[in-house]
Amino acid sequence: MKRLLENEKVLATALLAPGVTILVVFIAYPFLMALWFSLTSISVGDPGEFVGLDNFQRALEDTIFQTAFKNTVFYTFWATIFKLALGMWLALLLNRHFRFKRVVRASMLLPFIVPTVLSAWAWRWMFDPTFSVMNWSLFHLGLIEDRLPFLSSGDWAMWCAVVVNTWRGMPFFAITLLAGLQTISTELQEAAALDGANAWHRFWHVTWPLLLPVTLVVVVFSIIQTFSDFQLIYVLTGGGPANSTHLIATYAYQVGVNSGLLGEGAALSLFMFPVLFAVVWVQLRYLKRMDVR
Amino acid sequence: MKRRKFLKAAGAGVATSGLAGILATHRAPVFAQANTVHILRWNDFVPAADKVLREVFAPEVAKALGIKLNVETVNANDLPARATAAIQSGSGPDIIMLLNNLPHLYSSASVDVSSLAEEVGKAQGGIYDPSQKLNKVGGKWVSMPWSIVPALISYRESWFKEVGAKEFPKTWKEYHEIGKKLKAAKRPIGQTLGNTFGDAPTFTYPLLWSYGGQEVDAKGKVTINSKETIESLAFMQQFWKDAHDEGGLAWDDSNNNRAFLSGDISATLNGASIYVAALNGADKFKTEKGAPLHTDIRHAPLPTGPKGQHAYHTAFNHMVMKYSKNAKGAIEFLRWAHKKENYDKWFVVQKGFATGPTSVWEDHPMWKQDAVMLPFKSAPTMQTRLMGYAGQPDKRAAEAWNKYIVTVMYANVAGGKMKPEESAKWAASELGRIYR
Amino acid sequence: MLIERKWKKWVFFYVPMAFFIVFTLFPFYWMAVTAFRPDSELYHTWRQPNATPFWTLDPTLEHLHGLLRTTAFPNWLWNTMLIAIVSTVISLICGMFAGYALARLKFRGSEFLGTGIFITYLVPQTLLFIPLADIVRGMQLGNTPWALILTYPTFLIPFCTWLLMGYFKTIPKELEECARIDGATRFGAMVRIIFPVAVPGILSAGIFAFTLSWNEFIYALIFMSSAELKTVPVGVISELVRGDIFFWGQLMMGALLGSIPVAIVYSFFVEYYVTGLTGSVKG
């Protein structure tokens, strides 16, 4: 046994076996089934017939899908930028020594810990057209005359979703970037300071390049999660008002499950794939380059 | 040391399915002996009704028929997901509650319950016509109607009186005038135009019909882009701005309840749950004068349009699933539950929020107890049309319903996103993709 | 040591820090206030002058009692913990092994497998849950915790593998080579040398996997039907979001209670994780 495991190939197979088995049984096989669904007119209880790329064609012509696609890109783009910027800023702040450092660091993670559906309900209550605490505050501070249409206007609602997603995801960025920051020795920073660089310079020319690998990992992961996000919009707006805040995942769900059109729903979901694949591919190429170096 | 852990992990993979298998088989014999019926329903808006199912029906049907009733309730929005997964995987609850015309969507997964339906219909004065159409596919009953939740307008009588409406407005035009005055007094009408299954389509579909609009004609040709539809859209656009709480675009089925109970709106289309909540919380919900809120609440049907008065009431139906291993027990349970003396217990706890599927329940003495609830008694008889009018309430109508096409058509103009003509055109193209 | 002037400290540290704290924690404060607020105070609209949205005049424990007595909340907490811990352990082990194999061992098809594992991460659960329902039923795992314990790794393993693979790559090969020269087996070297060095990475993967499990909704909704077997997100949403009137107080209480145990666990690991990373590099 011992000698067998010395062989790289055998060891590799043994190590990969458990993970790959689970993935094959519970992802690869269902995925192929879902792929098959997307090529048929299957609906609940009715296997339908093969229709080729018909479902994909219909999706491209669907105005609601076009909106959903645009929304998903908008949502992912802005949320990622905010999460990165704010996460980085927060990481820099948390990197210093101050009283209650431990408590603050731990508490910053809370938005990330609480299940999305639950915190989304809390936010929904805070944005509620009739009971919003924010409207109450702004009104009583004299800053607004009429309430802000947080979730009742399509544009506002998308921005609200971005805010909630940023709130949720920023801690993850912050903590991971913080860990990365801690590996950058302070001597480098001091050397740069002695050379006359100010804080911004130090950040941009010393810190940022060294953090790039960690940043890339976190950003890619976040893009994947955000692009395929479902729970947040489902709870916050349900895709409304007037189907204007649908994301690809929520619209696919509405078509596939609520209307029973499984084939069309599967096709809609699969549109996420090319984008995510491209993102992952870029990251893989980068990892490979790091390897060679 | 670590190798053992590794081997354990690998072995665990085998052990889990084995273990689960053992657990499963260990359970199976125990349940096979009992006559179990697993029913999946929504979280009733009247929580006491779910209690009746669990604490009254379950023990009593066990005694009477030896059936072990397993009641599971989930959020109504999650019912389609559970039903889909159950049907596709071929196992799940024996009875699933389906709203509106979902039975048409899932008809191929159903057990024929025609004998049950006809029996109950005959014994109880006939099942309401809309429920018949919703539950029958190809002449056979694919599901059994259970109840109907009528939607009427709950309104603050004193506030309406203050702006000159001695009784509830009879036409949309009158309602618009009164609404203008109410909104000026910071007491607007509240209506949801969001993607929500209860209060939105029950408003928009009747509005469309009362102006003479329709989704398709009897042959299935899309006719929604018509003069009548555009007229109703133009009306809604003005009506919304002049008289409504404009936050309604983001409301779900609960926002209007909360807004009404907190005195923020003066009228809203809803089931009886607002009044029932006010009754149950008489000390919590008060008018601005300090009286219990429920003393100021009245109910009225939707106003009449140029082409008539219409209503849509949410239908709740039970489907016995084909994959069920105890379809016989399930049908027996339903037969038992529909018996007058049993259904009665569920019916009275609803206090009128839900009516029975047959006309016999209109004669129940409960209606005499509270005059405020009287309009709900015969509300189901006022419904003459269903989604997909003037065609059938079939799969295509269900798809249109679930995509909120009609509701969104109105939301587009209310939110100022589109002009009436544009929105009608949009709705026509969306329906066209469904009714191709 | 970089010395700063006092005003700089205020502008560049205290003010931004305060903003972050408020932004991050205000919703929790809000949830807490709502959880202890009696229902009679709940429906105060935005125009109401004498409302007190930021604190409650009459705190009550009725929601706590309601939650613990009328719902199966303690069961949900237990279920979610159990499922999260077991699936995290399974996924970490698979991820550690797979990550090591892909990062360190040369064998044919390693690139293909690596890419394959990443691809599975991209498949959304809203697409998979229907075919999965079939498989879960086929294995007779429906309505048991095993349905989730075995399906959660599907989105946890790819992430763990990916993160740990990158991590292992940064560890110098010399460490293993030294160990093997000293007579250790490949497997032994992996377990006794590499894994301990990689603890910060393993911890962060574990923390993250745990959070993802805790947060999952749709599989838990579909595969678990008995009230006592549900997880916290599904239980709270399905029992407390009832149509017309939500039980806001209990809902928020459930949200808070559902997060506190995890937060406590986190507070230990975060510090270890952050300082552990520093330590490993310095050493």
Side-chain angles (χ1 to χ4, degrees):
Chain A
M1 185 55 156
K2 242 182 155 170
R3 206 151 302 157
L4 258 181
L5 286 179
E6 278 311 296
N7 181 328
E8 271 187 274
K9 285 208 185 75
V10 174
L11 182 62
T13 315
L15 290 179
L16 285 166
V20 171
T21 312
I22 291 186
L23 292 178
V24 166
V25 171
F26 293 109
I27 289 197
Y29 177 59
F31 177 62
L32 290 173
M33 276 179 76
L35 206 54
W36 173 247
F37 282 1
S38 71
L39 298 172
T40 66
S41 61
I42 183 173
S43 64
V44 179
D46 171 21
E49 49 184 18
F50 184 77
V51 294
L53 295 176
D54 207 36
N55 291 331
F56 295 94
Q57 178 77 11
R58 279 167 63 88
L60 287 173
E61 294 165 345
D62 186 345
T63 54
I64 307 179
F65 173 69
Q66 291 163 8
T67 312
F69 196 89
K70 271 189 250 155
N71 285 343
T72 314
V73 172
F74 174 91
Y75 175 69
T76 309
F77 179 75
W78 285 110
T80 308
I81 289 197
F82 287 147
K83 281 188 279 194
L84 180 60
L86 291 175
M88 180 68 84
W89 193 5
L90 184 57
L92 288 169
L93 291 175
L94 289 175
N95 198 22
R96 309 164 81 143
H97 293 285
F98 56 95
R99 243 184 330 167
F100 305 125
K101 180 174 71 167
R102 300 190 82 191
V103 173
V104 173
R105 279 182 184 177
S107 64
M108 288 289 108
L109 275 175
L110 276 174
F112 190 65
I113 293 174
V114 79
T116 311
V117 287
L118 300 177
S119 57
W121 274 112
W123 276 97
R124 188 168 176 170
W125 185 236
M126 292 199 291
F127 284 139
D128 187 278
T130 318
F131 301 101
S132 165
V133 61
M134 305 196 210
N135 275 330
W136 188 93
S137 318
L138 293 172
F139 180 71
H140 283 92
L141 284 175
L143 292 172
I144 55 172
E145 276 276 322
D146 197 9
R147 54 188 175 183
L148 301 174
F150 290 120
L151 298 177
S152 16
S153 141
D155 294 326
W156 278 84
M158 274 321 293
W159 282 110
C160 286
V162 169
V163 166
V164 180
N165 186 286
T166 303
W167 174 85
R168 252 216 114 234
M170 184 189 66
F172 174 62
F173 273 77
I175 292 295
T176 315
L177 290 173
L178 174 65
L181 277 176
Q182 306 242 301
T183 68
I184 299 176
S185 66
T186 45
E187 285 106 28
L188 276 171
Q189 296 266 356
E190 287 169 7
L194 285 173
D195 278 350
N198 64 18
W200 174 251
H201 257 130
R202 285 201 306 271
F203 171 74
W204 191 245
H205 293 283
V206 177
T207 317
W208 175 254
L210 287 171
L211 270 183
L212 214 45
V214 179
T215 310
L216 194 69
V217 169
V218 166
V219 166
V220 167
F221 174 74
S222 167
I223 290 180
I224 293 176
Q225 285 285 85
T226 314
F227 201 79
S228 45
D229 193 24
F230 170 79
Q231 289 181 33
L232 207 148
I233 287 283
Y234 184 64
V235 171
L236 206 64
T237 63
N243 284 331
S244 59
T245 59
H246 263 306
L247 299 180
I248 300 177
T250 55
Y251 186 52
Y253 184 82
Q254 187 173 304
V255 169
V257 174
N258 288 348
S259 311
L261 300 165
L262 296 173
E264 290 188 39
L268 287 167
S269 288
L270 286 172
F271 272 100
M272 288 193 258
F273 223 65
V275 178
L276 295 178
F277 189 78
V279 168
V280 168
W281 188 74
V282 164
Q283 207 260 354
L284 282 176
R285 293 288 305 271
Y286 186 80
L287 260 185
K288 260 227 213 97
R289 272 203 302 161
M290 274 190 69
D291 228 7
V292 172
R293 235 191 285 154
Chain B
M1 179 58 94
K2 291 288 177 169
R3 203 174 308 164
R4 238 178 277 152
K5 205 177 176 192
F6 160 65
L7 287 173
K8 223 167 82 167
V14 176
T16 41
S17 35
L19 190 60
I22 292 173
L23 285 175
T25 53
H26 212 73
R27 276 206 312 227
V30 178
F31 278 96
Q33 281 160 19
N35 190 348
T36 329
V37 171
H38 178 186
I39 181 170
L40 177 66
R41 287 173 53 90
W42 71 324
N43 283 336
D44 203 313
F45 283 16
V46 178
D50 283 343
K51 265 180 126 190
V52 165
L53 290 176
R54 292 193 166 103
E55 293 169 20
V56 178
F57 274 30
E60 291 194 8
V61 78
K63 254 195 296 181
L65 297 175
I67 291 180
K68 187 173 180 323
L69 185 69
N70 174 10
V71 179
E72 186 196 349
T73 62
V74 294
N75 200 317
N77 283 320
D78 299 328
L79 276 173
R82 290 290 306 274
T84 305
I87 294 174
Q88 286 304 114
S89 69
S91 100
D94 302 295
I95 303 176
I96 300 184
M97 187 182 93
L98 299 174
L99 273 67
N100 299 316
N101 72 340
L102 276 183
H104 279 255
L105 216 55
Y106 301 148
S107 58
S108 55
S110 69
V111 166
D112 188 346
V113 290
S114 305
S115 57
L116 170 66
E118 276 160 27
E119 203 184 294
V120 174
K122 235 190 265 178
Q124 299 186 7
I127 296 183
Y128 290 120
D129 196 53
S131 286
Q132 289 201 30
K133 292 217 180 68
L134 291 173
N135 287 277
K136 269 167 117 163
V137 176
K140 282 198 286 184
W141 290 85
V142 300
S143 48
M144 179 65 200
W146 174 255
S147 63
I148 297 174
V149 171
L152 293 174
I153 300 193
S154 303
Y155 68 98
R156 297 288 298 270
E157 192 178 36
S158 62
W159 292 358
F160 271 63
K161 282 214 176 84
E162 277 176 37
V163 294
K166 292 214 195 67
E167 29 169 59
F168 193 78
K170 288 265 173 356
T171 66
W172 286 113
K173 275 215 171 67
E174 287 172 32
Y175 195 22
H176 183 184
E177 289 306 313
I178 298 291
K180 252 201 267 190
K181 297 194 191 129
L182 285 166
K183 184 165 178 178
K186 294 219 165 46
R187 296 163 169 172
I189 301 172
Q191 173 61 41
T192 170
L193 287 179
N195 283 16
T196 186
F197 72 94
D199 300 331
T202 48
F203 179 83
T204 52
Y205 277 74
L207 174 60
L208 179 70
W209 295 330
S210 68
Y211 269 80
Q214 58 186 35
E215 290 167 85
V216 294
D217 65 14
K219 296 206 195 70
K221 182 158 152 280
V222 176
T223 50
I224 199 170
N225 189 1
S226 65
K227 198 168 46 97
E228 292 85 5
T229 307
I230 295 178
E231 204 188 319
S232 75
L233 286 167
F235 165 74
M236 190 61 194
Q237 190 174 42
Q238 203 56 43
F239 188 28
W240 185 261
K241 225 174 5 133
D242 293 342
H244 279 130
D245 181 333
E246 292 172 78
L249 287 167
W251 286 5
D252 61 11
D253 285 327
S254 66
N255 288 72
N256 62 339
N257 290 56
R258 286 199 291 279
F260 192 97
L261 289 169
S262 62
D264 211 46
I265 57 175
S266 54
T268 186
L269 181 71
N270 204 57
S273 41
I274 291 179
Y275 181 65
V276 173
L279 267 182
N280 291 337
D283 49 327
K284 264 194 282 184
F285 302 117
K286 300 229 155 70
T287 68
E288 68 279 12
K289 299 202 179 76
L293 187 62
H294 67 84
T295 57
D296 195 30
I297 302 180
R298 298 287 178 270
H299 299 111
L302 284 173
T304 313
K307 295 280 169 44
Q309 183 184 35
H310 288 280
Y312 185 88
H313 305 306
T314 311
F316 292 78
N317 320 300
H318 285 140
M319 181 181 274
V320 177
M321 311 309 294
K322 216 197 294 203
Y323 60 67
S324 160
K325 297 200 181 64
N326 191 8
K328 195 158 144 299
I331 295 181
E332 275 183 36
F333 163 68
L334 286 178
R335 186 171 279 126
W336 178 90
H338 273 282
K339 282 217 184 94
K340 280 222 210 114
E341 61 268 22
N342 298 318
Y343 193 86
D344 189 282
K345 301 194 182 111
W346 184 89
F347 179 77
V348 297
V349 100
Q350 290 278 341
K351 295 215 174 82
F353 176 71
T355 68
T358 55
S359 48
V360 75
W361 298 101
E362 293 179 47
D363 302 324
H364 198 279
M366 180 198 81
W367 294 114
K368 297 208 184 77
Q369 287 168 6
D370 193 344
V372 177
M373 288 299 296
L374 220 41
F376 285 93
K377 185 173 83 143
S378 317
T381 56
M382 288 184 55
Q383 179 179 357
T384 52
R385 293 192 185 167
L386 292 169
M387 62 287 275
Y389 185 81
Q392 292 305 310
D394 58 12
K395 271 184 173 192
R396 297 171 298 180
E399 189 182 338
W401 178 274
N402 281 301
K403 281 187 170 159
Y404 295 109
I405 293 178
V406 173
T407 302
V408 170
M409 182 178 74
Y410 284 99
N412 283 334
V413 299
K417 238 174 63 168
M418 289 190 194
K419 296 215 248 300
E421 298 79 20
E422 288 176 71
S423 196
K425 202 154 145 238
W426 172 87
S429 82
E430 287 297 314
L431 285 179
R433 300 178 62 246
I434 299 175
Y435 280 90
R436 62 202 158 131
Chain C
M1 266 289 85
L2 299 169
I3 308 166
E4 279 177 323
R5 272 171 251 150
K6 208 116 199 246
W7 72 268
K8 265 198 171 179
K9 214 169 184 201
W10 271 95
V11 170
F12 288 113
F13 181 70
Y14 285 120
V15 168
M17 196 73 228
F19 156 72
F20 276 112
I21 292 181
V22 170
F23 177 57
T24 319
L25 298 181
F26 176 70
F28 291 97
Y29 176 72
W30 178 249
M31 282 157 70
V33 170
T34 312
F36 291 108
R37 190 193 287 275
D39 278 342
S40 50
E41 261 186 48
L42 199 53
Y43 297 142
H44 285 151
T45 71
W46 67 284
R47 272 189 301 230
Q48 210 134 347
N50 57 346
T52 56
F54 291 107
W55 59 85
T56 166
L57 298 169
D58 183 21
T60 167
L61 287 177
E62 63 178 348
H63 301 307
L64 182 63
H65 288 148
L67 187 68
L68 294 178
R69 291 220 202 96
T70 62
T71 68
F73 189 79
N75 298 63
W76 301 337
L77 211 52
W78 170 250
N79 294 333
T80 319
M81 259 297 185
L82 176 73
I83 292 169
I85 290 178
V86 179
S87 24
T88 301
V89 168
I90 292 179
S91 311
L92 264 185
I93 293 178
C94 291
M96 279 156 64
F97 287 162
Y100 183 78
L102 290 172
R104 280 295 209 251
L105 303 176
K106 290 196 233 334
F107 57 98
R108 221 179 10 180
S110 79
E111 237 195 81
F112 172 73
L113 258 181
T115 316
I117 292 183
F118 296 166
I119 301 291
T120 59
Y121 192 63
L122 306 180
V123 184
Q125 290 148 271
T126 44
L127 175 69
L128 284 179
F129 80 92
I130 294 172
L132 257 187
D134 202 3
I135 295 175
V136 164
R137 176 199 69 95
M139 296 180 140
Q140 304 203 358
L141 297 175
N143 207 30
T144 69
W146 289 107
L148 300 183
I149 292 177
L150 290 180
T151 52
Y152 280 10
T154 56
F155 52 90
L156 299 177
I157 290 178
F159 172 73
C160 290
T161 309
W162 174 42
L163 191 72
L164 291 172
M165 196 174 117
Y167 210 85
F168 289 144
K169 280 198 166 143
T170 66
I171 299 178
K173 289 201 179 188
E174 291 79 39
L175 281 172
E176 280 144 292
E177 282 162 19
C178 284
R180 295 190 65 209
I181 290 173
D182 283 349
T185 62
R186 272 192 195 278
F187 193 84
M190 171 181 83
V191 166
R192 268 178 235 136
I193 308 292
I194 300 300
F195 283 173
V197 168
V199 161
I202 295 176
L203 265 183
S204 69
I207 289 176
F208 203 72
F210 188 79
T211 313
L212 283 182
S213 284
W214 195 264
N215 193 26
E216 201 283 327
F217 185 72
I218 197 151
Y219 288 172
L221 174 71
I222 298 296
F223 298 147
M224 312 299 261
S225 38
S226 311
E228 325 79 53
L229 290 179
K230 292 189 178 167
T231 59
V232 168
V234 174
V236 169
I237 296 297
S238 62
E239 307 264 323
L240 299 175
V241 174
R242 279 176 168 267
D244 281 318
I245 311 265
F246 303 162
F247 296 99
W248 280 107
Q250 291 188 22
L251 194 63
M252 293 296 112
M253 183 65 84
L256 278 182
L257 290 185
S259 331
I260 288 177
V262 187
I264 294 178
V265 166
Y266 259 60
S267 65
F268 290 121
F269 284 116
V270 162
E271 275 309 311
Y272 184 36
Y273 162 66
V274 171
T275 59
L277 192 62
T278 336
S280 77
V281 173
K282 292 277 174 70

